[in-house]
Amino acid sequence: MNNNQQITVTSPLLPDLDEFHELLKEIWNNKWITNNGSFHCRLEAALCEYLKVPYISLFTNGTLPLITALQALRITGEVITTPYSFVATTHSLWWNGIKPVFVDIDPATGNLDPDKIEAAITSKTTAIMPVHVYGKPCDTKRIQEIADKYGLKVIYDAAHAFGVEVNGKSILNAGDMSTLSFHATKVYNTIEGGALVMHDEQTKKRIDYLKNFGFAGETEVVAPGINSKMDEVRAAYGLLNLKQVDRAIEARHQVAIKYREALRNVEGITFFDDIPGVKHNYSYFPIFVDAEKYGMTRDELYFKMKEHNVLGRRYFYPLISTFSTYRGLASAHPDNLPEAVKMAESVICLPMYHTLNDVDIEKVIEQIV
Ligand SMILES: *Cc1c(COP(=O)(O)O)cnc(C)c1O
């Protein structure tokens, strides 16, 4: 099979190579290639402005900010989270010796269902870790009310929510902290990379210690930190990508419009529409297959697409709660998670990226209608 004919599920946003080369020259001249260099500082400042957040700390990927946020907030015992996410969400709890407690999702959004959180709280619960799945905002108000009532922390895995706003305000300011991933497959990437968003300078300082072995000074180590610093090369790459991310998001928006137009009246296929007041980032385009109405199962459609060189992704399938590490937990039982099971068994994410052209969009649609 000729790979060039394949329509992949994603394609990375890449900076202009000549511009990147200019910045590389600057780094070579500086001879400062990591540890809070000038590009690192510039990218943090630029991201604060772009994302409308007060403080941000860059990381080397999107998993370490999750692990580090839990460390910084001294989260222990049990944490309520969603099974409908990428495995890193739950893994971050496991790496901190925390027991994940899975709660079902709201089928209208794919996000943790606030109505089901309270029943899962025990004397050991210390935090809630929701995910803004596909960049769709969680019900942050309800979640905060529950957290306040029970004295819990809230850490959002906002890996999909780069630039997402509700009524002009960044979704990243919700909860105690929010994490971002700048992995190659995300809307905005630094190849590998990530960040932690926080509300105050004190927390930012603490996080900066933790991502640098716990160093608070030349000879002072204040915590058993880790090494998860972003280097200058990727920070420079990130600065360039930030200049074009709005254009990329708008191009994705146009793809979403075309998919919706073509699929709106296909029996047995559903998808999410935009939510009024929300600035979306079009990070993914999931469709949901109702096998009975559509006349074909999700997997049949998925493999048919694949045969015709259209690579969708069953994202998120299988549920995190089904993996060997977690399936023994009482909360991982499928009877506890009926909506998540249903969504995981019906979803296909269609190819979605800024350079997807009309011919390819048509090829994708042809497979489904
Ligand atoms: C991508 C992703 C992560 C992990 O980010 P990496 O940068 O790949 O480490 C965490 N959570 C979710 C929901 C993700 O999609």
Side-chain angles (χ1 to χ4, degrees), residues 1-8 309 311:
M1 196 185 290
N2 180 356
N3 269 340
N4 292 331
Q5 288 174 2
Q6 283 190 337
I7 304 173
T8 52
N309 288 328
L311 306 183

Side-chain angles (χ1 to χ4, degrees), residues 42-351:
R42 278 161 67 182
L43 183 56
E44 283 193 347
L47 282 169
C48 278
E49 194 184 327
Y50 179 85
L51 297 170
K52 301 184 185 170
V53 300
Y55 297 95
I56 199 165
S57 185
L58 293 174
F59 277 72
T60 195
N61 59 49
T63 302
L64 283 161
L66 286 166
I67 291 173
T68 307
L70 293 163
Q71 282 278 319
L73 295 168
R74 300 182 192 276
I75 304 300
T76 57
E78 296 178 1
V79 170
I80 289 170
T81 191
T82 169
Y84 194 76
S85 180
F86 182 61
V87 284
T89 312
T90 315
H91 283 353
S92 73
L93 299 171
W94 206 259
W95 273 74
N96 278 287
I98 294 162
K99 181 177 163 187
V101 175
F102 295 111
V103 163
D104 206 6
I105 58 169
D106 176 353
T109 63
N111 292 329
L112 204 54
D113 186 343
D115 286 337
K116 295 184 180 147
I117 292 175
E118 283 196 76
I121 295 173
T122 74
S123 60
K124 296 198 180 96
T125 310
T126 56
I128 307 170
M129 185 178 270
V131 181
H132 304 293
V133 176
Y134 309 128
K136 290 172 65 65
C138 289
D139 189 341
T140 54
K141 192 162 165 274
R142 289 277 314 281
I143 290 171
Q144 197 58 52
E145 279 164 11
I146 296 165
D148 290 344
K149 185 170 162 191
Y150 291 89
L152 308 176
K153 301 285 187 198
V154 185
I155 300 144
Y156 282 98
D157 180 340
H160 299 178
F162 185 89
V164 172
E165 295 177 11
V166 180
N167 300 324
K169 293 207 175 90
S170 173
I171 192 79
L172 301 171
N173 288 317
D176 290 276
M177 285 192 230
S178 290
T179 69
L180 288 165
S181 165
F182 304 151
H183 183 255
T185 55
K186 308 299 208 251
V187 168
Y188 168 81
N189 82 84
T190 60
I191 306 176
E192 293 271 358
L196 196 44
V197 172
M198 62 289 281
H199 307 308
D200 60 273
E201 197 178 355
Q202 206 51 42
T203 309
K204 152 94 174 138
K205 220 180 210 175
R206 176 99 190 132
I207 294 297
D208 285 346
Y209 297 156
L210 285 174
K211 76 175 185 191
N212 187 29
F213 310 98
F215 275 107
E218 208 179 307
T219 55
E220 193 189 10
V221 171
V222 293
I226 192 126
N227 179 10
S228 48
K229 305 182 297 289
M230 182 183 281
D231 61 78
E232 287 290 277
V233 173
R234 286 188 290 152
Y237 175 108
L239 268 176
L240 294 177
N241 258 357
L242 195 56
K243 290 200 299 186
Q244 51 170 1
V245 71
D246 277 336
R247 246 179 303 144
I249 289 171
E250 184 43 36
R252 286 167 172 269
H253 183 190
Q254 294 307 316
V255 177
I257 289 172
K258 285 167 193 160
Y259 278 153
R260 284 174 182 153
E261 258 171 30
L263 301 177
R264 183 151 324 264
N265 296 314
V266 179
E267 178 83 359
I269 299 290
T270 53
F271 49 81
F272 294 125
D273 274 304
D274 284 357
I275 304 163
V278 174
K279 185 178 163 208
H280 293 276
N281 66 7
Y282 307 97
S283 47
Y284 301 89
F285 196 90
I287 62 165
F288 305 97
V289 183
D290 179 330
E292 227 160 84
K293 287 190 192 154
Y294 185 63
M296 199 187 268
T297 67
R298 183 273 308 271
D299 282 353
E300 281 167 350
L301 175 59
Y302 171 77
F303 287 112
K304 180 191 135 192
M305 285 166 60
K306 202 168 178 176
E307 225 171 87
H308 292 88
N309 288 328
V310 175
L311 306 183
R313 222 185 131 182
R314 290 169 291 178
Y315 198 59
F316 297 102
Y317 166 85
L319 290 177
I320 301 175
S321 47
T322 65
F323 294 127
S324 60
T325 315
Y326 307 114
R327 65 180 170 225
L329 297 168
S331 67
H333 198 282
D335 289 350
N336 183 46
L337 309 164
E339 298 299 344
V341 169
K342 217 160 115 191
M343 196 168 274
E345 284 176 356
S346 65
V347 69
I348 302 177
C349 285
L350 300 186

